[in-house]
Amino acid sequence: MNEKILILDFGSQYTQLIARGIRELNIYCEIQPCTKPVNYTADLKGVILSGSPFSVNDPTAPKPDIKAIADKLPVLGVCYGAQLLAQQSGGEVGKSTHREYGRAHLQAIVHDPLFATISDGSQVWMSHSDSIKRLSEGFTILAHTESIPVAAYKAADGYANNPVYAIQFHPEVTHSTDGRQLLKNFVVDICGCTQDWTPAAFIHETVERIKEQVGNQKVVMALSGGVDSTVAATLVHKAIGDNLFCIFVDNGLLRKNEFEQVLEGYKHLGLNTKGVDAKQLFYSKLEGVTDPEQKRKIIGGLFIDVFSEEAKHIKDVKFLGQGTIYPDVIESVSVHGPSVTIKSHHNVGGLPEKMHMQLVEPLRFLFKDEVRRIGRELGIDDIFLSRHPFPGPGLGIRVLGAITEDKVKMLQEADAIYTQHLRDSGQYSQVWQAGAILLPVQSVGVMGDERTYEYTVALRAVTSVDGMTADWAHLPYEFLAKVSNDIINYVRGINRVVYDISSKPPATIEWE
Ligand code: XMP
């Protein structure tokens, strides 16, 4: 990477959107907490200050010295960033007469590189309860809106060694119709970035970096069939070939035929993968366990045991490959204290500690959609790239209550019917995640002349962007009718199908 933009995060919910907006312009950028000092490396071309839930008048609000940064590089302050700059430069920020949230329109835009090709009336998205009341001497207002006098401004020429801009609105949200153009004007025209961070360039640089890091040593990696581990392994393989050893564990909680299909897919990708059948070990250790967190711990712990035992058979392996992605790495700016664990998701988190190996993490700086773009460029089959997220504990947290092999088989059949119908009807790619859940509930039914007393399956399908919030997918009734009919007719032991119509929050995507 020979150029990058730094985003100083003050805790806004939109910070990652700024990063994605910049990266879509083929410019690499990183997010860093505002409390960390800026490292002025030669590749750094500009700094963006994010919004924040803090008020600049709050005594505990974070306040890095913006002028010091602007003496080194061009700066763009967004929302809180704009207010902090106003305050630090001798202007005034105070409570707005009313909270401004939602759409507004820029007026009287001044001719300036930041607003090149953006015209009066441009819709922007506001979200603030403080406003800039007064700017320091020599600072220029670049636009106002119907309700605030300072929607955008520029620091006085002599204020710092580089241009300093500030905007009260959020260019990173799609409701700001020229937001992307404004970000482009800043990073390309004002910071001078060349937009050469393409998937092909990323692959080239990453492969070179892995070669340098690993040399002719060996790397071992756990694969899951998911997008991240598959793309990460393909990159490592491109760099070191058969010195990459992959392990895919069948924990008995995968989907129907998934173990065989995924192994076959890996063969096509040229990955040297060992499939390990550990089904019975998992079933035996899970026997009678009903608590969801306990199940997660057992499944995660056993996985580490099985994987590290297998890895021991590979001689002299020094590196552990992982498909870690950027959202797992970004240090969050905590405004309300540490968040409470709702579900312990990172079930393989203990792997690196246990293995005492150096990590190879080629996707450490990518968002999920970028991983898919890289995967496409690497020629990886869409079967891998478009796969719905599937939790590490697999069907273990979708068989509610105690897990038995028979129950897993029942659920695998129901899930396979559901997934096939989703694919056949073109709905699979429309929903973010879908799956079937086996409830620990039996109910009465009638089949032919016989009374039945069998299990219920719940179908779940959600739309979402990142899994943090989700809505239930409004699948057509006819579709649900077909799925329900086929599950009840073809899966022994199930006589009732229900559809989950809860959003997250307050529900979660998984039932356990
Ligand atoms: P929830 O149920 O918290 O799920 O709304 C959000 C996303 O996380 C996945 N999930 C997990 N992934 N290990 C994982 O690797 C887990 O223990 C786990 N629990 C939930 C879930 O499938 C959804 O995509």
Side-chain angles (χ1 to χ4, degrees), residues 296 343-345 347 389 391-393 397 432-433 467 504 508-510:
R296 277 193 172 78
K343 295 179 188 179
S344 52
H345 281 188
N347 48 326
I397 53 169
W432 191 79
Q433 184 171 8
K504 171 183 179 176
T508 50
I509 296 173
E510 304 294 344

